[in-house]
């Protein structure tokens, strides 16, 4: 298995943020709500949702459309991404249920609430120290919070990563293909994530490889 090559944490470059925002993630992100529904024990989310590393809000918008009774706090360290997320929610008429906070995780500025769901999508592979995500989950998720973290998982070699980029992102702009490649190399394996959770005292959470490139972490903190 090739070792991990970390990438920069924040996506604070305006051009990079815009390219990410303009990308068509309907495949992976469209399926995200479905994967959540299959694992979430309740029928609906009635309460607060925390989204760590919300970026420009593509996944957040899908959750807001799917769960009209929920309200959302989106946290990101990149001002460029948050500006795009705010604009997206205004366009979609969802701003009234959104609260955006600029904070570099881990941060005391992440609002505490009685969260029904603490989620994160594609943040983990950006973190130089993955422990900051698990500490934040522990601090902000209560006994009644459902934790749902989705991310990429690292392929066994650079050649395999390149094959995945060529197959799955053909037709996307070069900058996005490069981002995808870098992200695959920066991602953790399911085994590494299992070890991170055990070290963080989060052994009750399940780790699940859902397809060739994605891994989910989900459950309730014991
Ligand atoms: C690949 S994007 C994912 C965005 C969104 N969740 C989605 O799935 O479309 C990762 C986001 O995490 C943010 N990020 C990375 N490290 C962070 C940190 N330590 N604190 C806060 N945000 C961070 C980046 O700025 C970026 O917006």
């Amino acid at each position: 298995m090739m070792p991990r090559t970390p990438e920069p944490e924040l996506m604070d470059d305006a051009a990079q943020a815009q390219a990410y925002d303009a990308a068509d993630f309907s495949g992976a992100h469209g399926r995200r709500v479905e994967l959540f529904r299959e694992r979430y024990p309740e029928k609906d989310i009635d309460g607060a949702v925390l989204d760590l590393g919300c970026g420009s809000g593509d996944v957040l918008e899908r959750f807001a459309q799917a769960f009209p009774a929920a309200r959302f706090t989106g946290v990101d360290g990149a001002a460029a991404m948050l500006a795009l997320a705010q604009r997206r929610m205004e366009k979609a008429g969802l701003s009234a249920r959104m609260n955006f906070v600029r904070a570099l995780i881990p941060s005391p500025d992440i609002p505490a609430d009685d969260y029904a769901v603490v989620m994160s999508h594609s943040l983990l592979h950006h973190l130089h120290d993955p422990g900051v995500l698990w500490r934040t989950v522990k601090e902000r998720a209560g006994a009644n919070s459902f934790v749902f973290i989705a991310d990429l998982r690292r392929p066994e070699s650079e050649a395999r990563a390149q094959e995945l980029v060529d197959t799955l992102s053909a037709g996307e702009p070069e900058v996005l293909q490069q981002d995808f490649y870098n992200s695959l190399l920066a991602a953790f394996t399911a085994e590494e994530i299992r070890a991170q959770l055990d070290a963080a005292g989060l052994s009750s959470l399940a780790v699940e490889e859902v397809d060739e490139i994605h891994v989910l972490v989900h459950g309730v903190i014991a």
Side-chain angles (χ1 to χ4, degrees):
M1 170 59 71
M2 70 172 159
R4 176 181 192 230
T5 308
E7 59 176 349
E9 285 206 352
L10 293 186
M11 295 174 72
D12 218 358
D13 175 75
Q16 184 194 27
Q18 252 151 27
Y20 187 87
D21 185 54
D24 178 9
F25 288 120
S26 49
H29 289 178
R31 194 160 165 251
R32 202 57 61 77
V33 171
E34 212 178 290
L35 291 170
F36 174 82
R37 278 194 195 281
E38 288 163 7
R39 288 155 187 81
Y40 189 54
E42 311 292 331
K43 208 168 158 22
D44 210 349
I45 305 175
D46 183 12
V49 177
L50 177 64
D51 185 10
L52 297 165
C54 65
S56 62
D58 187 73
V59 178
L60 194 50
E61 180 182 357
R62 292 168 196 276
F63 273 76
Q65 300 285 11
F67 298 103
R71 59 195 164 81
F72 299 85
T73 295
V75 176
D76 205 284
M81 282 296 210
L82 286 178
L84 290 164
Q86 250 146 358
R87 197 172 321 148
R88 175 195 294 274
M89 299 309 168
E90 274 158 28
K91 262 197 190 153
L94 294 168
S95 299
R97 292 193 284 132
M98 293 289 159
N99 171 34
F100 288 108
V101 177
R102 184 175 176 197
L104 191 63
I105 296 158
S107 167
D109 298 336
I110 300 169
D113 202 338
D114 184 14
Y115 291 111
V117 175
V118 173
M119 66 179 191
S120 177
H121 305 268
S122 306
L123 167 68
L124 181 63
H125 74 265
H126 276 273
L127 298 173
H128 295 173
D129 170 12
V132 302
L133 174 59
W134 306 124
R135 280 202 293 285
T136 303
V137 165
K138 247 184 131 169
E139 283 166 13
R140 291 293 178 266
N144 299 318
S145 309
F146 186 75
V147 176
F148 187 74
I149 312 288
D151 215 299
L152 294 170
R153 57 193 181 89
R154 192 167 77 253
E156 62 280 3
S157 66
E158 289 180 12
R160 184 63 193 136
Q162 191 58 57
E163 267 172 33
L164 288 164
V165 170
D166 294 344
T167 317
L168 300 172
S169 68
E172 292 288 357
E174 179 57 30
V175 61
L176 275 181
Q177 296 200 21
Q178 191 59 50
D179 254 11
F180 183 31
Y181 179 78
N182 293 342
S183 295
L184 285 170
L185 265 53
F188 295 98
T189 64
E191 292 73 26
E192 289 166 346
I193 295 173
R194 179 76 268 158
Q196 291 164 17
L197 292 171
D198 292 344
L202 293 171
S203 300
S204 63
L205 299 181
V207 180
E208 200 185 338
E209 293 178 340
V210 274
D211 59 32
E212 199 171 8
I213 58 167
H214 289 105
V215 60
L216 298 181
V217 174
H218 55 90
V220 174
I221 298 179

